[in-house]
């Protein structure tokens, strides 16, 4: 074990000790299972919201305004008498859909960029690294805000904006990891045996990257949920009347003292979700012994 | 010598990144179907006034020429003026930059003050229940983005308990106490967002240092435990703190943007967002350029200074 | 700004213009020349006389503003007759000129302010308070004008207050907290929802006449609302009662047009389409699918929620809506340029129909239009044209009623409710708001107008 981490390690470019350490589910601590159950339940509600009878129409207004928590309205109602539980579920539907798509696409694009840059080095690396560095030159929220400002404000473009957030993070990590593997014995050996480049990349390097990509999937979800949430809190995510988590909180902010339940329950749901993805991601990272400071 | 060369090449890289970022943002904003002259002339516009304005702003020149002129102005300190209300950007910055600067300064100081004892404690009592409590708590904070925590803190401490009001920023010249009071909740919100990074790294840093030979040696010499911790453990770790502070600049800017909205602080974040909602794109462009430049510069400095600051890394590199 | 400036003309509770800083205004037979007479002995805060020369300088300044050029497009010129008298000539009858001088155009600023390139940031007027300092978005401070020209009925110098600090609070909740904690002593409120709370906890005064109207302004020149059926459908699909109940706690009266009760032109029934989901749906289906409608509003939560409610009501009718939140300035700019479909708006105090000409007359629908809704209705044009020929209040009322009916018939906008401002204040604030006309009339006329109040005759109990 190196006595001292390098700067690279602080940024998530540290040494990886893969090899034998596999993830054994049975050995996971309780927290891991709690997190998994929360995510499963959330996915269930969010995916099935339209067919679950007890999830109300999130847009239906009524004269029962600002009702507290109760049997008929689990999270109470808002200023228009709309069911807050339904709004949180449907807000999650949009926010999580955007998050899922952007993490998937972000890993694809960012992973490819990092892989190519790290594997080929030379001018490919110079070029791709420049692109990555440029994307990294702005704080996440500012970058996303800028992209949404320049493009039209709609679901697709918000997804594009947060995809870039995910992609730039993946690209950086994958490049660093690839750089390490490129010099490993097994890659050198394969190269000496005359393996083609594509084989080297996809059969030798990529499988070794998979653990970190899996771990990033969760941490990346956290990253983009916060990114999209920040955008919609500012009012620059998918425009109303579409429901997003950040948007729910932004509107509730105006009613803090009169109706705290409008803030509390969405905040708890968001907290649990972020906690769950962070926890799982972090556990996986540690399992794979990836030194990182990603989140 | 190697350090200077490294610094020089870093400088060139940084300048290149800033140049490309500002150009790309300039180009993208210029593609928008918004006419700065409409903003500039406003509701009283006539065809003649618009034409005159377009001439004045030289909008018919090519993209590169416009960008060049803008960049030239930026470099010479002329940040231009808002198309919307004609107020100089430098003038607005003079009002708004201090708000954000105080916010960031206090947050960094508070994060350091809080995370050093907690990080040390956590490391020294590694794997004890104290350690688990501290690291677990810090980890939970990571799941509270500033727009969630900020709103909840505002709810509890301002709306419910009434300890603080949400009346916006008070400058230090109007009374230090009022100044601090106006920034307590925003700073706590921001601190919660970055303190975990400090804590986490300090902890692992201290754990590593505790295993170093010279610490063992000091211990063998029978030096008091507290002395060892302060002299031999904390001092090298302070480099880590500096580094993390630099690396978390981005996180802070993100947070400041949101926190300023929640607590109605008239700083850079509110400025940027209102420029966005106002379609005042020159201001957007200028602010984004400034943020990018500042951010890239900080990263560069941290990168370049790191080996210089920590003697151990310097030794190993030789 | 009413503290620093005196309006040349002020509207009374019936909307009729009355001279305020002016001693009198008088027109010739056909309203092509107005004679304005200034009061003797009044000076600006900088000591220069507020006379006819200053008035001429003021008009000069006003006319350099393109917007005002449109408002005063009939103006031909003016001449200073003597130190206190100015004749204002227009190319066509302009009976509405005094009424047009009740608003911003009538705030008489000193020549020194007009000459100062930073004049807008250093206002110099004749008003009861002298401008002291201004920090944008933070604080405006004014102090008592020791040389103010008005006295109270007992001959004591006005104003009574020594100093006023204005602080902007964007969030209504924050404003309420500030009043509760005593950070501020007076505020104003126009959303209805908390009105009851304010009445229970504070002393309040409420606006009584010349209420503004909240409405959805439609772009009558752009698809789909260039088609009257689309506008009718939208009106039928808007459940005014629910909107009013949910967004104002039922505090305000539901509007059927821009003329609130107590304003000349108000009609209990003007023929504006009722809430009728079926009819609305049928009409909307008839025009085919025009795609998603964009509804513009400001970025604050209150209006966003209101817009969401409207969006849902219309969605129930089969109308797809997207909400666009923009800063007020940008919203106005887009509206002026016709770059919108529908937007939530507040305007029209209905004081006198002459003042509304610029908003509704088809001649103001050019490239940059003050008639932002691009209303082109011959009946309205004809009525408004007649309004420029008379200052007879009965005749003006009849004209206003005609305009009211025509606006309802053409469904040019979707009217929501009449906004009644409420001014909650601490116990010790006395005689808030009421402004009396200068002698000889001397009667109290207004307490609040469009949320702004006069503090000229207010005092604090010890």
């Amino acid at each position: 074990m190196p006595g001292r981490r390098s700067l690279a390690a602080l940024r998530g470019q540290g040494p990886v000790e893969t090899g034998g350490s596999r993830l054994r589910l049975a050995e996971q601590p309780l927290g891991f299972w709690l997190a998994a159950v929360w995510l499963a339940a959330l996915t269930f509600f969010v995916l099935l919201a339209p067919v679950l009878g007890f999830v109300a129409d999130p847009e239906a207004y009524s004269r029962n305004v600002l009702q507290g928590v109760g049997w008929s309205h689990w999270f109470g109602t808002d200023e228009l008498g709309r069911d807050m539980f339904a709004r949180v579920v449907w807000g999650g539907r949009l926010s999580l859909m955007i998050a899922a798509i952007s993490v998937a696409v972000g890993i694809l694009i960012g992973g490819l960029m990092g892989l190519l840059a790290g594997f080929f080095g030379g001018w490919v690396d110079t070029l791709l690294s420049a692109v990555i560095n440029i994307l990294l030159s702005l704080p996440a929220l500012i970058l996303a805000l800028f992209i949404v400002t320049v493009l039209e404000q709609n679901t697709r473009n918000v997804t594009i904006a947060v995809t870039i957030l995910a992609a730039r993070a993946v690209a950086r990590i994958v490049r660093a990891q690839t750089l390490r593997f490129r010099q490993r014995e097994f890659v050198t050996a394969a190269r000496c045996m005359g393996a083609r480049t594509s084989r080297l990349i996809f059969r030798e390097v990529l499988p070794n990257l998979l653990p970190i990509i899996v771990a990033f999937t969760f941490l990346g979800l956290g990253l983009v949920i916060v990114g999209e949430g920040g955008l919609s809190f500012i009012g620059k995510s998918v425009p109303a009347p579409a429901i997003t988590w950040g948007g729910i909180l932004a509107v509730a902010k105006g009613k803090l003292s009169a109706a705290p339940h409008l803030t509390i329950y969405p905040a708890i749901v968001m907290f649990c979700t972020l906690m769950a993805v962070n926890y799982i991601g972090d556990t996986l990272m540690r399992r794979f012994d990836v030194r990182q400071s990603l989140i | 010598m190697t350090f200077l060369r490294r610094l020089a090449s870093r400088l060139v890289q940084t300048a290149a990144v800033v140049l490309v970022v500002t150009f790309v943002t300039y180009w993208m904003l210029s593609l928008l179907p918004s006419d700065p002259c409409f903003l500039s002339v406003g509701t009283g516009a006539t065809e003649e006034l618009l034409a005159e304005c377009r001439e004045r702003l030289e909008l018919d020149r090519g993209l590169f020429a416009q960008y060049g002129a803008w960049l030239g102005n930026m470099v010479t300190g002329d940040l231009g003026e808002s198309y919307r209300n004609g107020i100089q950007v430098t003038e607005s910055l003079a009002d708004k930059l201090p708000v954000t600067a105080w916010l960031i300064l206090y947050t960094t100081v508070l994060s350091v003050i809080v995370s050093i004892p907690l990080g040390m404690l956590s490391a020294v009592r590694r794997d004890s229940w104290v350690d688990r409590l501290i690291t677990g708590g810090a980890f939970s904070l990571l799941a509270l983005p500033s727009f969630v925590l900020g709103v909840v803190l505002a709810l509890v401490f301002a709306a419910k308990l009434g300890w603080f009001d949400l009346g916006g920023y008070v400058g230090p010249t109007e009374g230090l106490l009022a100044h601090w009071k106006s920034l307590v909740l925003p700073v706590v919100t921001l601190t919660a967002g970055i303190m975990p990074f400090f804590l986490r790294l300090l902890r692992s840093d201290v754990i590593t240092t505790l295993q170093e030979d010279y610490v063992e040696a000091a211990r063998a010499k029978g030096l008091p435990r507290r002395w060892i911790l302060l002299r031999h453990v904390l001092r090298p770790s302070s480099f880590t703190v500096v580094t993390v502070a630099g690396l978390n600049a981005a996180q802070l800017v993100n947070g400041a943007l949101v926190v300023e909205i929640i607590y109605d602080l008239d700083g850079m974040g509110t400025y940027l967002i209102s420029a966005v909602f106002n379609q005042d794109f020159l201001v957007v462009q200028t602010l984004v350029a400034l943020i990018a430049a500042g951010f890239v510069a900080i990263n560069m400095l941290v990168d370049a200074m790191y080996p210089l600051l920590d003697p151990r890394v310097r030794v190993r590199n030789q | 700004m009413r503290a620093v400036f005196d309006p040349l003309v002020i509207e009374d509770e019936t909307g009729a213009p009355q001279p305020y800083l002016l001693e009198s205004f008088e027109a010739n037979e056909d309203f092509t020349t107005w004679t304005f007479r200034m009061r003797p002995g009044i000076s600006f805060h900088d000591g220069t006389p507020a006379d006819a020369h200053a008035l001429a300088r003021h008009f000069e300044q006003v006319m350099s503003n393109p917007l005002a050029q449109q408002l005063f497009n009939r103006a031909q010129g003016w001449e200073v007759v003597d130190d206190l008298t100015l004749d204002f000539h227009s190319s066509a009858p302009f009976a509405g000129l005094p009424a047009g001088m009740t608003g911003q155009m009538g705030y008489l600023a000193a020549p020194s302010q007009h000459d100062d390139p930073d004049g807008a940031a250093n206002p110099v007027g004749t008003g009861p308070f002298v401008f002291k300092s201004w920090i944008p978005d933070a604080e405006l401070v004014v102090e008592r004008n020791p040389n103010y020209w008005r006295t109270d009925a007992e001959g004591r110098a006005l104003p009574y207050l020594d100093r006023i600090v204005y602080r902007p609070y964007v969030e209504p909740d924050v404003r309420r907290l500030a009043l509760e904690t005593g950070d501020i002593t007076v505020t104003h409120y126009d959303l209805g929802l908390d009105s009851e709370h304010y009445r229970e906890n504070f002393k309040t005064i409420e606006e009584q006449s010349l209420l503004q109207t909240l409405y959805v302004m439609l772009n009558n020149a752009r698809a789909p609302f260039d088609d009257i059926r689309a506008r009718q459908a939208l009106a039928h699909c808007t459940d005014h009662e629910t909107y009013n109940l949910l967004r104002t706690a039922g505090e305000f009266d539901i509007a059927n047009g821009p003329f609130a009760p107590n304003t000349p032109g108000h009609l209990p029934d003007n023929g504006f389409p009722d809430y009728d989901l079926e009819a609305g749906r049928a009409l909307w289906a008839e025009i085919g699918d025009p795609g998603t409608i964009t509804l513009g509003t400001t970025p604050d939560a209150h209006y966003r929620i209101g817009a969401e409610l409207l969006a849902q009501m219309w969605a129930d009718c089969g109308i797809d809506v997207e909400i666009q939140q923009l800063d007020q300035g940008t919203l106005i700019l887009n509206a002026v340029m016709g770059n919108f479909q529908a937007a939530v708006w507040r305007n029209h105090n209905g004081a006198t129909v002459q003042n509304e000409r610029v908003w509704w007359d088809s001649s103001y629908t050019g490239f940059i239009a003050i008639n932002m809704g691009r209303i082109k209705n011959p009946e309205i044009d004809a009525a408004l044209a007649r309004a420029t020929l008379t200052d007879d209040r009965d005749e003006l009322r009849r004209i206003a009623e005609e305009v009211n009916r025509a606006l309802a018939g053409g469904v040019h906008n979707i009217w929501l409710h009449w906004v009644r401002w409420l001014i909650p204040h601490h116990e010790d604030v006395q005689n808030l708001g009421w402004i009396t006309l200068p002698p000889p009339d001397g009667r109290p006329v207004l307490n609040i107008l469009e949320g702004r109040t006069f503090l000229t005759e207010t005092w604090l109990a010890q």
Side-chain angles (χ1 to χ4, degrees):
Chain A
M1 183 170 176
R4 174 80 203 173
R5 64 181 53 225
S6 65
L7 175 68
L10 290 177
R11 288 181 158 182
Q13 302 168 345
V16 184
E17 305 296 332
T18 43
S21 70
R22 293 182 67 93
L23 181 75
R24 283 193 200 81
L25 289 176
E27 291 169 12
Q28 296 308 315
L30 179 66
F32 187 89
W33 288 109
L34 281 179
V37 168
W38 173 268
L39 288 185
L42 190 69
T43 314
F44 171 79
F45 275 112
V46 159
L47 284 181
L48 298 182
V51 293
L52 292 175
F54 56 87
V55 178
D57 176 352
E59 279 163 345
Y61 53 90
S62 83
R63 297 187 179 184
N64 298 323
V65 298
L66 296 177
Q67 303 246 304
V69 173
W71 183 239
S72 49
H73 301 290
W74 295 354
F75 290 178
T77 62
D78 72 358
E79 283 181 87
L80 298 180
R82 299 178 296 196
D83 183 78
M84 281 307 286
F85 179 74
R87 290 188 71 73
V88 170
V89 169
W90 279 83
R93 206 174 142 88
L94 185 56
S95 290
L96 294 177
M97 183 194 81
I98 291 175
I101 293 175
S102 52
V103 167
V105 179
I107 285 179
L108 210 65
I109 296 174
L112 204 62
M113 280 171 73
L115 191 62
L116 295 181
F119 188 83
F120 289 110
W123 66 269
V124 179
D125 185 27
T126 312
L127 187 76
L128 287 174
S129 290
V131 174
I132 297 171
N133 278 334
I134 285 162
L135 288 179
L136 282 167
S137 70
L138 280 172
L141 194 51
I142 309 248
L143 179 65
L145 179 64
F146 182 78
I147 293 168
V148 179
T149 304
V150 171
L151 303 173
E152 208 185 324
Q153 196 184 342
N154 58 31
T155 313
R156 191 196 66 196
N157 295 336
V158 169
T159 312
I160 290 177
V162 288
T163 300
I164 292 175
L165 298 188
R168 63 181 203 171
V170 178
R172 194 181 62 183
I173 298 168
V174 167
R175 175 178 171 276
Q177 297 297 324
T178 310
L179 272 176
R180 301 198 68 80
F181 288 125
R182 196 177 61 162
Q183 290 146 358
R184 285 285 179 95
E185 303 79 9
F186 60 93
V187 178
T188 321
R191 197 192 299 264
C192 289
M193 285 158 66
R196 276 179 311 161
T197 311
S198 61
R199 190 190 153 81
L200 283 177
I201 294 180
F202 291 106
R203 300 298 293 272
E204 305 294 343
V205 177
L206 191 59
N208 281 291
L209 290 173
L210 279 182
I212 196 172
I213 287 177
V214 172
F216 180 83
T217 307
F218 289 92
L219 296 175
L221 276 174
L223 189 84
V224 298
I225 290 174
V226 171
E228 190 276 331
L231 268 189
S232 54
F233 188 77
I234 297 172
K236 275 287 165 186
S237 183
V238 192
I243 311 164
T244 60
W245 279 351
I248 292 176
L249 285 172
V251 169
K253 180 173 69 94
K255 281 277 152 199
L256 274 184
S257 49
H261 68 270
L262 298 182
T263 297
I264 293 295
Y265 297 99
I268 290 176
V269 169
M270 207 159 176
F271 170 74
C272 291
T273 308
L274 288 172
M275 191 77 183
V277 291
N278 284 353
Y279 192 86
I280 294 179
D282 200 59
T283 311
L284 292 177
M285 281 281 189
R286 256 187 289 183
R287 245 347 96 134
F288 303 134
D289 204 17
V290 182
R291 301 278 199 98
Q292 51 81 40
S293 68
L294 187 70
I295 53 167
Chain B
M1 194 56 225
T2 43
F3 169 71
L4 281 183
R5 255 222 321 265
R6 204 177 129 92
L7 189 70
S9 96
R10 270 278 170 190
L11 263 176
V12 173
Q13 267 183 39
T14 305
V17 168
V18 171
L19 216 59
V20 175
V21 171
T22 51
F23 178 73
V24 171
T25 50
Y26 197 93
W27 168 66
M28 288 173 88
L29 284 172
S30 74
L31 293 181
L32 286 174
S34 133
D35 185 339
C37 278
F38 274 126
L39 294 181
S40 177
V41 179
T43 41
T46 59
E47 302 272 16
E48 302 87 69
L49 275 173
L50 285 175
E52 183 211 319
C53 163
R54 290 201 181 102
E55 196 158 316
R56 183 161 45 84
L57 297 177
E58 302 181 311
L59 290 181
D60 44 357
R61 288 190 305 172
L63 176 65
F64 283 97
Q66 281 185 52
Y67 171 73
W70 172 83
L71 191 69
N73 287 340
M74 284 288 281
V75 172
T76 53
D78 173 9
L79 303 189
E81 60 180 40
S82 155
Y83 290 138
R84 159 72 64 195
N85 52 22
I87 297 178
Q88 290 283 329
V89 175
T90 39
E91 206 173 296
S92 302
L93 281 184
D95 287 341
K96 293 161 202 281
L97 196 58
V99 182
T100 311
W102 283 121
L103 208 56
I104 286 180
L105 179 72
Y106 289 142
T107 303
T108 308
V109 170
L110 185 65
S111 301
V112 171
I113 292 177
V114 172
S115 56
I116 284 180
L118 288 182
M120 301 268 288
L121 188 64
S122 212
V124 172
R125 300 265 174 83
R126 191 181 172 184
D127 292 331
S128 71
W129 65 269
V130 184
D131 178 29
R132 276 198 214 109
L133 190 73
I134 293 173
T135 45
F139 190 77
S140 328
L141 286 182
L142 287 177
L144 281 172
S146 46
F147 56 89
V148 175
L149 184 65
V151 170
V152 171
L153 288 182
L155 167 65
V156 175
F157 294 102
K160 285 291 158 206
L161 296 175
W163 293 357
F164 305 98
D165 57 30
L166 302 175
Y169 172 75
V170 179
T173 49
E174 296 168 59
L176 267 184
L177 210 63
H179 169 65
W180 285 329
K181 208 178 158 193
S182 74
L183 289 179
V184 167
L185 291 181
V187 166
V188 169
T189 309
L190 281 179
T191 303
I194 64 159
M195 191 269 281
F197 295 98
F198 281 72
L199 188 80
R200 207 182 237 215
L201 284 162
L202 258 169
R203 177 180 174 275
S204 64
D205 208 57
V206 171
I207 288 175
T208 323
T209 319
L210 281 174
Q211 294 163 346
E212 296 267 359
D213 298 338
Y214 65 86
V215 178
E216 299 283 348
R219 205 174 281 163
K221 272 196 282 183
L223 290 173
R225 194 182 150 84
R226 193 168 300 171
W227 171 261
I228 298 177
L229 282 179
L230 280 179
R231 180 81 181 76
H232 296 286
V233 179
L234 186 58
R235 219 173 67 157
S237 288
S238 55
F239 300 120
T240 312
V241 173
V242 171
T243 315
V244 185
L247 294 181
N248 278 302
Q251 187 73 17
L252 267 177
V253 175
N254 283 335
L257 204 69
V258 168
V259 157
E260 284 178 13
I261 294 190
I262 298 175
Y263 296 104
D264 200 11
L265 304 175
D266 199 13
M268 295 282 284
T270 338
Y271 189 30
L272 176 65
I273 290 167
S274 86
V276 165
F277 275 104
N278 265 323
Q279 305 182 339
D280 198 347
F281 293 130
L282 182 103
V283 174
V284 173
Q285 165 69 30
T286 303
L287 292 183
V288 166
L290 287 178
I291 293 170
F295 184 49
V296 174
I298 287 177
N299 272 345
M300 182 205 75
L301 274 181
V302 170
D303 255 17
M305 300 299 279
Y306 191 74
L308 201 68
L309 281 175
D310 191 340
R312 289 164 304 178
V313 176
R314 202 166 50 199
V315 169
R316 198 169 306 127
N317 281 353
Q318 281 168 359
Chain C
M1 282 298 99
R2 288 197 161 201
V4 177
F5 299 109
D6 283 314
L8 290 162
V9 180
I10 185 175
E11 51 279 79
D12 69 12
E13 70 281 10
T14 67
Q18 306 286 350
Y20 190 79
L21 184 60
L22 282 178
E23 190 170 70
S24 68
F25 51 77
E26 210 175 316
N28 65 354
E29 197 69 356
D30 61 354
F31 296 103
T32 52
T33 297
W34 281 93
T35 302
F36 295 117
R37 195 176 302 277
M38 298 294 290
R39 294 174 195 275
I42 298 180
S43 50
F44 289 107
H45 300 153
D46 63 0
T48 55
D51 57 10
H53 302 285
L55 189 59
R57 180 74 180 86
H58 174 72
F59 281 129
E60 204 178 294
Q61 191 69 27
V62 166
M63 293 308 162
S64 69
N65 172 347
L67 185 68
Q69 279 169 14
Q70 293 203 37
L71 295 170
F72 289 100
N73 62 355
R74 298 183 171 208
Q76 207 171 32
W78 49 85
E79 57 189 306
V80 175
V81 179
D82 60 48
D83 276 355
L84 295 176
T85 317
L86 178 140
D87 279 351
F88 190 103
H89 304 290
S90 52
S91 55
F94 197 0
L97 180 58
M101 288 162 55
T102 52
Q104 292 245 334
M105 301 296 163
Y107 290 154
L108 184 68
S112 66
Q113 180 190 329
H114 293 314
D115 295 337
D116 179 358
D118 284 333
N122 299 296
V124 181
T126 58
F129 296 94
V130 182
F131 171 80
K132 204 76 204 162
S133 65
W134 177 52
I135 308 166
D137 303 324
E139 194 173 82
L140 168 70
V141 181
V142 297
E143 282 178 357
R144 184 172 182 275
N145 174 5
N147 306 315
Y148 193 51
W149 56 278
R150 289 199 61 183
T151 56
D152 65 10
E154 282 85 49
R156 278 186 301 249
L158 286 172
Y160 306 117
L161 296 174
D162 290 324
R163 180 184 161 87
I164 310 171
V165 181
Y166 294 89
R167 286 208 189 101
Y169 291 89
V170 183
E171 293 275 349
D173 251 32
V174 175
R175 217 187 305 157
R176 198 181 75 193
L177 275 170
L179 187 70
E180 277 163 6
T181 55
D183 285 356
I184 52 176
T185 46
V186 180
T187 185
H188 63 182
Y189 182 71
D190 69 328
L191 302 178
L193 290 173
D194 291 339
S195 294
E196 198 49 44
H197 171 90
Y198 277 126
R199 278 189 213 106
E200 279 167 13
N201 294 286
F202 296 96
K203 287 179 74 174
T204 55
I205 57 167
E206 295 187 40
E207 196 173 10
Q208 289 171 351
S209 46
L210 313 185
L211 307 185
Q212 280 187 307
T213 312
L214 188 82
Y215 60 101
V216 179
M217 186 167 74
L218 302 178
N219 188 341
N220 287 256
R222 188 162 148 184
F225 299 119
D226 53 346
D227 184 338
I228 187 171
R229 290 171 303 171
R231 304 196 294 268
Q232 283 166 334
L234 211 59
H236 280 312
C237 294
T238 309
D239 177 356
H240 290 79
E241 208 183 305
T242 305
Y243 184 90
N244 200 36
L245 207 65
L246 294 184
R247 293 321 291 143
T248 78
E251 274 284 328
F252 300 153
D253 292 329
I254 294 169
N256 62 359
F259 299 93
N262 300 330
T263 49
H266 174 73
L267 294 169
D269 182 16
N270 60 3
F272 189 75
D274 289 329
Y275 175 51
D276 183 345
L277 211 55
E278 288 313 312
R281 219 174 259 155
L283 275 166
W284 194 256
E286 202 180 302
I287 59 169
D289 181 17
T292 304
I293 304 301
T294 304
L295 173 64
T297 189
T298 47
D300 58 309
H302 184 89
Y303 284 108
R304 171 177 167 161
I305 294 171
E308 285 183 12
L309 180 57
L310 290 171
Q312 185 55 27
M313 286 171 176
W314 298 341
D316 289 341
C317 232
I319 305 173
D320 267 344
V321 186
E322 189 175 278
I323 294 164
Q324 185 183 35
Q325 293 182 278
L326 288 172
D327 255 25
Q328 197 170 13
T330 311
L331 209 58
I332 294 175
L333 204 57
N334 281 348
V336 168
M337 285 157 43
N339 184 16
F340 75 107
Q341 285 177 311
V344 180
W345 221 255
R346 192 181 62 210
N347 197 357
H348 310 306
N349 65 31
T352 164
V353 71
Q354 293 161 328
N355 271 355
E356 314 289 357
R357 195 174 124 83
V358 290
W359 311 114
W360 298 328
D361 190 283
S362 67
S363 61
Y364 292 97
T365 57
F367 162 63
I368 291 284
I370 308 179
N371 179 349
M372 294 172 273
R374 272 96 182 141
I375 297 169
K376 286 184 184 160
N377 185 323
E379 281 176 67
I380 296 176
D381 286 356
L384 291 172
R386 279 187 3 247
T388 63
L389 304 175
T390 178
D391 64 353
D392 178 69
R393 295 303 293 172
D394 284 331
E395 172 66 5
L396 284 173
R397 182 178 47 76
R398 279 191 295 277
I399 291 172
E401 285 170 1
E402 236 172 86
V403 171
N404 193 354
R405 276 194 205 93
L407 278 170
V411 202
H412 295 296
N413 292 315
I414 311 296
W415 312 102
L416 295 173
H417 56 250
W418 290 303
V419 179
R420 187 163 3 85
W421 284 88
L422 179 87
I423 299 205
H425 58 90
H426 287 193
E427 289 273 342
D428 51 358
V429 181
Q430 308 282 325
N431 199 30
L432 188 67
W434 285 106
I435 188 82
T436 55
L437 290 178
D441 194 319
R443 72 193 154 103
V445 282
L446 276 180
N447 60 351
I448 309 173
L449 184 73
E450 299 178 356
R452 297 183 305 263
T453 183
F454 286 92
L455 298 168
T456 312
E457 295 166 63
T458 302
W459 71 86
L460 288 172
Q462 291 298 320

